[in-house]
Amino acid sequence: MSLPELLKNRLSLPVIGSPLFIVSNPDLVIAQCKAGIVGAFPALNARPAAELENWLQRIDEALSQHAAEHPGSRVAPYAVNQIIHASNDRLRQDLEACGRHRVPIIITSLRAPDEVVPVVHGWGGLVFHDVISVRHAKRAIDAGVDGLILVCAGAGGHAGGLSPFALVSEVRRFYAGTIILSGAITRGEHVLAAQAMGADLAYIGTRFIATPEAHADIAYKQMIVDSTASDIVYTNLFTGVLGNYLRGSIVNAGLDPENLPSADKSTMSFGSGGSSRSKAWRDIWGAGQGVGNIDAVRPVAEVVATMRADYDAARARLLAASG
């Protein structure tokens, strides 16, 4: 088990709130950090690009004020997701903004962050990288990342197809650093199970869409509450990369979830002007297989407190069972 010094004694629960395209905003991030888990958002959510500076300033000021007003409380650091993709023409500009604010954690995805790691390390930040396979994990390690986010089967949005039991165990054979596990994690006992498998932190996204703080359509939040794992469709149609989406949103868009064509990965675009694919996220809603455990839209603080209680109860049960 390996937890960076940056996170030690600053978390109420070993959780990172995953950056959610369009959905994550300063309100959600600030609420997550105040509750004692790492809050995160994609840099591309701040549009136009100049707005990113305002978001970072707002988050910095809100967390500093909260820490000053609540001495001794666990206020978690935040993270910004950078898409390392050829079409993201904002990457350099967004990284410079993050550097000015000395963002504690940068989450990278879609390509090995060779050029990003030294920049982030230059201001003292950490880099965690999304991977879906052992090959991707080894490539990220070669790039010098500080932690691996294993995106396993069942995760919302872009997701891999491997079981966490398989991927965590294989990666732990050659990697002793920080592992963050993603894939249908919605409850406190799931977080404990992730640690039992060898992960250091859980990566949770879908559960935080169904919160008042999330920037998501009310219908989106309600569909998450009303859905179960059988309502999740795994397809590459909408971005060119395999991911999990809510069946109801696909139907509402006039498509047949049982007969979706395949798409080419080259169709993915993260240009600063937006694209037809990125706009599709507003209509085709991502969600993980853990939706069946979400029964209501609840504030972030309440969600985290419930997870903490469930985490403690699960640990107590295991201790009692072991004698």
Side-chain angles (χ1 to χ4, degrees), residues 20-23 156-158 209 215-217 219-221 223-224 231-257 260-261 275-288:
L20 305 162
F21 189 55
I22 298 178
V23 172
H158 295 149
I209 299 174
H215 179 63
D217 191 286
Y220 185 1
K221 298 178 184 182
M223 188 175 290
I224 285 176
D231 296 309
I232 301 302
V233 178
Y234 191 54
T235 177
N236 69 356
L237 173 62
F238 306 111
T239 67
V241 175
L242 285 165
N244 286 310
Y245 304 89
L246 288 167
R247 179 181 299 273
S249 68
I250 296 173
V251 172
N252 290 344
L255 299 171
D256 179 2
L260 295 176
S275 70
S276 60
R277 292 305 184 192
S278 64
K279 291 175 183 177
W281 288 91
R282 299 189 181 103
D283 304 310
I284 309 297
W285 297 328

Side-chain angles (χ1 to χ4, degrees), residues 15 24 29 49 202 239 311:
V15 167
S24 296
V29 171
T239 67
Y311 177 92

Side-chain angles (χ1 to χ4, degrees), residues 34 90 100 105 125 140 151 171 189 199 204 221-222 242-243 245 250 259 261 271 276 291:
K34 286 182 178 180
R90 281 181 45 174
R100 286 190 291 273
I105 302 168
V151 186
V171 171
E189 54 264 47
I204 302 178
K221 298 178 184 182
Q222 190 59 47
L242 285 165
Y245 304 89
I250 296 173
N259 293 285
S276 60
V291 288

Side-chain angles (χ1 to χ4, degrees), residues 3-17 32-39 73-78 105 128 178 180 195 200-202 304 308 311:
L3 198 64
E5 287 296 325
L6 174 69
L7 298 178
K8 290 180 179 178
N9 301 314
R10 295 188 64 182
L11 302 178
S12 63
L13 196 63
V15 167
I16 295 177
Q32 290 171 325
C33 294
K34 286 182 178 180
I37 68 169
V38 175
S73 64
R74 297 194 173 192
V75 182
Y78 68 97
I105 302 168
F128 295 156
T178 302
I180 305 105
Q195 290 183 304
D200 300 285
L201 299 156
V304 175
R308 179 73 224 194
Y311 177 92

Side-chain angles (χ1 to χ4, degrees), residues 58-231:
R58 181 182 166 197
I59 293 169
D60 286 337
E61 292 176 352
L63 296 183
S64 295
Q65 180 178 346
H66 183 78
E69 293 175 350
H70 301 83
S73 64
R74 297 194 173 192
V75 182
Y78 68 97
V80 175
N81 173 220
Q82 299 286 1
I83 303 297
I84 314 299
H85 189 269
S87 68
N88 181 10
D89 55 4
R90 281 181 45 174
L91 179 59
R92 181 182 296 275
Q93 179 181 351
D94 289 348
L95 267 180
E96 289 174 352
C98 289
R100 286 190 291 273
H101 289 263
R102 303 178 72 86
V103 170
I105 302 168
I106 295 295
I107 294 171
T108 53
S109 50
L110 292 182
R111 187 165 62 85
D114 300 85
E115 299 175 1
V116 173
V117 170
V119 174
V120 177
H121 285 175
W123 74 68
L126 301 176
V127 178
F128 295 156
H129 187 67
D130 284 352
V131 303
I132 62 171
S133 69
V134 166
R135 179 174 64 86
H136 291 146
K138 289 182 176 180
R139 182 66 183 83
I141 293 168
D142 289 342
V145 300
D146 302 285
L148 300 172
I149 301 169
L150 308 189
V151 186
C152 295
H158 295 149
L162 290 176
S163 161
F165 290 99
L167 190 53
V168 173
S169 298
E170 288 195 31
V171 171
R172 271 294 178 225
R173 288 184 175 184
F174 57 84
Y175 183 64
T178 302
I179 286 180
I180 305 105
L181 179 61
S182 172
I185 300 174
T186 54
R187 297 175 57 87
E189 54 264 47
H190 301 167
V191 177
L192 185 64
Q195 290 183 304
M197 277 193 286
D200 300 285
L201 299 156
Y203 201 61
I204 302 178
T206 302
R207 183 61 194 88
F208 292 108
I209 299 174
T211 61
E213 295 90 346
H215 179 63
D217 191 286
I218 294 175
Y220 185 1
K221 298 178 184 182
Q222 190 59 47
M223 188 175 290
I224 285 176
V225 172
D226 294 338
S227 296
T228 63
S230 63
D231 296 309

